[in-house]
Every structure is written in C-alpha cells, then in structure tokens.
Amino acid sequence: MRVKAEQLDRALQKALLPAWLVCGDEPFQNGECSDRIRKAALAQGFDDRKLFSSDTGIDWHEVLDAAQSMGL
C-alpha cells in the first residue's frame, strides 16, 4: 500500500504494518516520516528495528536472515 507523507499519521493510527519502505526525493521528509513510524512503533511496544540501506548495496542474505529471525 502506498502512503503519502501527508497521509502517514492517519495510516499509522489504523494499523502498524510489519515492514515499511520509506523513499522519495526529499531526504528531510524521509527522515521525518521514519521518525513518525518509529514513534508509533515504540508506542505499541516495539523496541527493536533492522535497518537496510541501499546506498551501499543490500546484502540480501542479511535481509533473509533477519526476516527468518525468531525475534520477528
């Protein structure tokens, strides 16, 4: 589901999805959206996160290992 920055708060009130991909042309706005997602997750008791950045290339084996982790 695609959620625009101005719709994010409403989407976070409905349900916190298990994974979020934040992307766009505005780094500051991306950071603000990421902060809002983290804040909503912390409010619901989630205190662990995995961060994968495509800036340096993605190690897909690491992503797969994280997805299969018992912590999820």
Side-chain angles (χ1 to χ4, degrees), residues 1-61:
M1 169 175 56
R2 179 179 230 159
V3 178
K4 294 182 179 182
E6 58 271 7
Q7 302 168 328
L8 182 58
D9 289 327
R10 187 172 48 237
L12 290 171
Q13 290 174 354
K14 289 181 182 178
L16 185 63
L17 300 174
W20 291 82
L21 171 65
V22 178
C23 59
D25 295 329
E26 300 292 332
F28 183 75
Q29 187 177 50
N30 292 345
E32 284 186 334
C33 290
S34 297
D35 290 343
R36 290 166 33 206
I37 293 167
R38 278 193 294 276
K39 183 178 177 182
L42 281 171
Q44 293 187 27
F46 296 95
D47 58 0
D48 186 32
R49 72 177 181 145
K50 299 289 182 194
L51 179 65
F52 301 98
S53 176
S54 64
D55 291 343
T56 59
I58 295 178
D59 180 355
W60 290 106
H61 294 289

